[in-house]
Amino acid sequence: MSRPHTRSLVSLALAAAALLAGAPLPAAEHPIVIVIHGGAGVIERAHMTAEREASYRAGLGAALDAGFAVLERGGSSLDAVAAAVRTREDDPQFNAGRGAVLNHDGICELDAAIMDGTGPRAGAVAGVHHVKNPIELARLVMDKSPHVLLAGQGAEEFALSQGVTLVPESYFITPERVRELEEAKRTAAESAPTTPLPLRPRGMGTVGAVALDAQGHLAAATSTGGITNKLYGRIGDTPVIGAGTYASESCAVSGTGQGEFFMRQVVAYDICAMMQYQHLPLARAVDLMIHDKLRRTGGEGGVIALDRDGNFAMDFNSAGMHRGVRNSAGRREIAMYRDAN
Amino acid sequence: MSRPHTRSLVSLALAAAALLAGAPLPAAEHPIVIVIHGGAGVIERAHMTAEREASYRAGLGAALDAGFAVLERGGSSLDAVAAAVRTREDDPQFNAGRGAVLNHDGICELDAAIMDGTGPRAGAVAGVHHVKNPIELARLVMDKSPHVLLAGQGAEEFALSQGVTLVPESYFITPERVRELEEAKRTAAESAPTTPLPLRPRGMGTVGAVALDAQGHLAAATSTGGITNKLYGRIGDTPVIGAGTYASESCAVSGTGQGEFFMRQVVAYDICAMMQYQHLPLARAVDLMIHDKLRRTGGEGGVIALDRDGNFAMDFNSAGMHRGVRNSAGRREIAMYRDAN
């Protein structure tokens, strides 16, 4: 019962400080930080138009600022990561919610997870077809059910029981994703029939966020449509606690890339484990995971990660990764390519 | 291409040795070991009849011997754990396959995972209703799809595409599980309506196995119906790689208990991580996990675990756990209660 009370006092104090200073909020006892990603993959200048790049940057900026605004008014890291993910579930250019990639049968099957490093507590959904904001349903699973992961029709039954309005499958489908599926199927058909479905699509637009709030609490959230042309029923790393999403009291991670590799190597938790057990700094643990352990198995992708002191990492072994960071020290950066731009 | 060849040579050598000795096989370069569990929970003498105890012991013994026979003839740890799990999917007294517990809607939703520590490779299925042996479908996901986890109807579509014959939902349902569901619903109705569904059933009969073969390869497998009265679509820890099932080159773990706790704490992988990063012996890592870390969050259950040297652990913080071990040093034990019997 004491946390909401404490939070509102801190919030009041922060607001008062802002009024007095007439300036960006001063660093609280804990720095506040949000880090986001919007997918890793073949993101290169050669494949990008100026309009498209500007549009991606605007989408990333809107998510970053939505999440940071929550932290700035004393809100929780959990609310901040949910806000930063939700804006991009509604933005058709990212592979989550509306505009998600299509499975082999031409529909969107959506996965999402959210985790509160305090507890820890976690909620996730997999394979939902009719939920506008899967990240909000993941939050309901955490807050209102005894379970961590609900999938498919059962997850949608639970959504209905919680008063969530379902939307038709057509809401999610965009012409660009239809074209991408056709292209993926053509490529698959041209390969030998025994070749597994291609798991290395041109761009992977999974969205994620990690945040540290003024109370020093960490949270992580991730949402995705998975991988174009995936088999019906495929669950990737995003909703798997430990693989694509993890938060503890000392570390929060959200991943993007070839989900199957993240699952076999328990990527998000492994970063936290290396920090806790080997006392590695965050950046070193992330570097080892992405450029050594994941690369060694042939896995491609990246992660964003954050520790309780506000140190963060945005690292990837793919050509690029949509990413951004904003913190109470006045830093605000958005980048897409290898070269920090 | 060289592994099957090497394996058959080793197998031949072992068979020749057995013929010459007319006795149990001598320890190979690597010891061979299989460890199984058949669920943790309120397993106490006071709640057990002599007939029921004998029947459980017979079921555990059959599984142990089926898995050990595979290892003894030079088979892989992967084949051994699959065999040890399959016998109990077919045995209605365990909570896996036929005789699995019922969800809130009165049907069986089955989860299973298998992992080969070499690679590593993994396959899992969740929420299947019509697959007689979910562990075999998990193996097909690993061997024949590019994915790690398939759920629900999509998993069954994949099963059909692989020539698996589906069975009616009624195949899985036993009168005892119907009674258990009625009892769980009565208990839930007597609690305050806002209380989450009870997650601490009387017995949890998830089945699992870990094995070490003559080539020194580890594998793990787990299969379950989950928890009585679970929400439709609930996925527990069993098919989540890292939570209820994990295998690497140096460690294999299968868990049983309150799945949600295992998921939030990434139990199976965390044991392997403590061994790798903190250089803890297997038994110490398992002890810390079960009696300290899991207990601290209120989580109840147990694990079986095995390292590459053939050291094993069967530990639990519940009243009892169905368990057994057999190895090439001539050890063969089956136990259910706290006191190693």
Side-chain angles (χ1 to χ4, degrees):
Chain A
M1 291 299 288
S2 70
R3 266 176 61 202
H5 185 61
T6 311
R7 189 173 295 160
S8 58
L9 284 180
V10 171
S11 170
L12 257 173
L14 286 171
L19 280 172
L20 289 170
L25 290 170
E29 193 186 341
H30 290 276
I32 58 174
V33 189
I34 184 157
V35 191
I36 64 168
H37 70 74
V42 185
I43 299 165
E44 291 168 329
R45 283 196 177 79
H47 299 102
M48 196 67 78
T49 64
E51 294 73 29
R52 203 160 166 194
E53 182 176 322
S55 176
Y56 274 127
R57 286 184 189 275
L60 292 167
L64 203 55
D65 296 340
F68 194 74
V70 173
L71 298 174
E72 235 178 357
R73 61 174 180 262
S76 70
S77 52
L78 206 56
D79 288 338
V81 293
V85 164
R86 195 171 49 238
T87 64
R88 286 167 303 157
E89 286 180 337
D90 296 339
D91 181 339
Q93 66 192 328
F94 295 101
N95 175 18
R98 181 148 180 263
V101 300
L102 306 181
N103 74 2
H104 187 70
D105 298 337
I107 63 163
C108 294
E109 286 186 287
L110 307 167
D111 297 344
I114 191 162
M115 189 157 186
D116 182 352
T118 308
R121 303 186 307 137
V125 294
V128 295
H129 304 187
H130 304 93
V131 177
K132 187 168 176 281
N133 290 109
I135 198 66
E136 292 187 347
L137 186 58
R139 177 79 182 262
L140 286 169
V141 170
M142 180 173 80
D143 289 340
K144 305 289 185 188
S145 93
H147 299 311
V148 168
L149 174 55
L150 293 179
Q153 287 181 355
E156 297 190 348
E157 282 289 336
F158 173 74
L160 289 170
S161 78
Q162 295 294 317
V164 174
T165 306
L166 300 188
V167 297
E169 288 178 345
S170 59
Y171 163 79
F172 299 100
I173 299 174
T174 62
E176 177 158 0
R177 299 305 189 187
V178 172
R179 274 196 303 276
E180 284 178 12
L181 177 60
E182 284 163 2
E183 193 187 307
K185 286 188 167 179
R186 247 192 328 269
T187 310
E190 285 161 8
S191 315
T194 54
T195 306
L197 297 175
L199 282 181
R200 193 167 172 272
R202 232 191 22 221
M204 314 170 200
T206 297
V207 308
V210 292
L212 176 68
D213 64 28
Q215 282 70 46
H217 296 147
L218 291 162
T222 318
S223 183
T224 191
I227 285 183
T228 303
N229 202 25
K230 68 184 180 181
L231 288 181
Y232 176 36
R234 177 261 192 185
I235 298 178
D237 62 314
T238 294
V240 171
I241 298 304
T245 308
Y246 201 77
S248 69
E249 287 182 358
S250 53
C251 170
V253 181
S254 170
T256 171
Q258 294 171 289
E260 278 71 12
F261 291 83
F262 280 64
M263 295 167 86
R264 287 185 288 254
Q265 296 185 260
V266 199
V267 164
Y269 183 74
D270 197 32
I271 290 169
C272 299
M274 285 190 279
M275 289 177 62
Q276 187 184 347
Y277 300 139
Q278 300 188 299
H279 309 291
L280 297 186
L282 180 88
R284 177 70 187 132
V286 167
D287 179 69
L288 259 178
M289 186 74 239
I290 299 301
H291 297 289
D292 182 8
K293 299 177 84 164
L294 192 60
R295 195 186 285 263
R296 210 185 307 148
T297 64
E300 188 176 326
V303 300
I304 51 171
L306 184 58
D307 72 16
R308 64 194 307 168
D309 298 320
N311 299 307
F312 65 89
M314 309 184 285
D315 209 348
F316 50 99
N317 63 24
S318 45
M321 181 170 82
H322 299 296
R323 60 199 188 276
V325 59
R326 190 169 171 192
N327 68 17
S328 48
R331 188 164 180 172
R332 184 181 184 280
E333 290 171 13
I334 289 165
M336 304 169 67
Y337 306 114
R338 170 57 50 201
D339 58 9
N341 282 301
Chain B
M1 292 300 288
S2 71
R3 268 177 58 202
H5 184 61
T6 310
R7 187 172 297 159
S8 58
L9 284 180
V10 171
S11 170
L12 258 172
L14 287 170
L19 280 172
L20 288 170
L25 289 171
E29 193 186 341
H30 291 275
I32 60 175
V33 189
I34 183 157
V35 190
I36 64 168
H37 69 74
V42 185
I43 299 164
E44 290 167 330
R45 283 198 177 76
H47 299 103
M48 195 69 74
T49 63
E51 294 73 27
R52 202 158 166 197
E53 183 177 320
S55 175
Y56 274 127
R57 287 186 189 273
L60 292 167
L64 201 55
D65 295 340
F68 193 74
V70 172
L71 298 173
E72 235 178 358
R73 61 174 179 261
S76 70
S77 51
L78 207 56
D79 288 338
V81 293
V85 164
R86 195 171 49 238
T87 64
R88 285 167 304 156
E89 286 179 338
D90 296 340
D91 181 340
Q93 67 191 327
F94 295 100
N95 176 17
R98 180 145 183 265
V101 300
L102 305 182
N103 75 2
H104 187 70
D105 298 337
I107 63 163
C108 294
E109 287 186 286
L110 307 166
D111 299 343
I114 191 163
M115 190 156 185
D116 181 353
T118 308
R121 303 187 307 136
V125 294
V128 295
H129 304 188
H130 303 92
V131 177
K132 185 169 177 281
N133 291 108
I135 199 66
E136 292 188 347
L137 186 56
R139 177 80 183 260
L140 286 169
V141 171
M142 179 172 81
D143 288 342
K144 305 289 187 187
S145 92
H147 299 311
V148 168
L149 174 56
L150 293 179
Q153 287 181 354
E156 296 189 348
E157 282 290 336
F158 173 74
L160 289 170
S161 78
Q162 295 294 318
V164 174
T165 306
L166 300 188
V167 297
E169 288 178 345
S170 60
Y171 164 78
F172 300 100
I173 300 174
T174 62
E176 177 157 1
R177 298 306 190 187
V178 172
R179 275 195 302 276
E180 283 178 13
L181 177 62
E182 283 163 4
E183 192 188 306
K185 286 187 168 181
R186 246 192 329 270
T187 310
E190 285 160 7
S191 317
T194 55
T195 305
L197 298 175
L199 282 182
R200 194 169 171 271
R202 230 191 26 221
M204 312 170 202
T206 296
V207 308
V210 292
L212 174 68
D213 64 29
Q215 282 69 47
H217 296 146
L218 290 161
T222 319
S223 183
T224 190
I227 285 183
T228 303
N229 202 25
K230 66 183 181 182
L231 289 182
Y232 176 35
R234 178 261 194 183
I235 297 178
D237 62 313
T238 295
V240 170
I241 299 303
T245 308
Y246 201 76
S248 69
E249 286 182 357
S250 52
C251 171
V253 181
S254 171
T256 171
Q258 294 171 289
E260 279 69 15
F261 291 83
F262 280 63
M263 294 167 86
R264 287 186 288 257
Q265 296 185 259
V266 198
V267 164
Y269 184 74
D270 197 32
I271 290 168
C272 298
M274 286 190 277
M275 289 177 62
Q276 187 184 347
Y277 300 139
Q278 300 188 298
H279 308 292
L280 297 185
L282 179 90
R284 177 71 187 131
V286 167
D287 179 70
L288 260 178
M289 186 74 239
I290 298 302
H291 298 288
D292 181 7
K293 300 177 83 165
L294 192 61
R295 195 186 285 264
R296 210 185 308 150
T297 64
E300 188 177 327
V303 299
I304 50 171
L306 184 57
D307 73 15
R308 64 193 308 169
D309 298 322
N311 300 305
F312 64 90
M314 309 185 286
D315 210 349
F316 51 97
N317 64 24
S318 46
M321 181 170 82
H322 299 295
R323 59 199 188 276
V325 58
R326 190 168 171 193
N327 67 17
S328 48
R331 191 165 177 170
R332 185 181 183 280
E333 291 170 15
I334 290 166
M336 304 171 65
Y337 307 114
R338 170 56 53 201
D339 58 7
N341 283 301

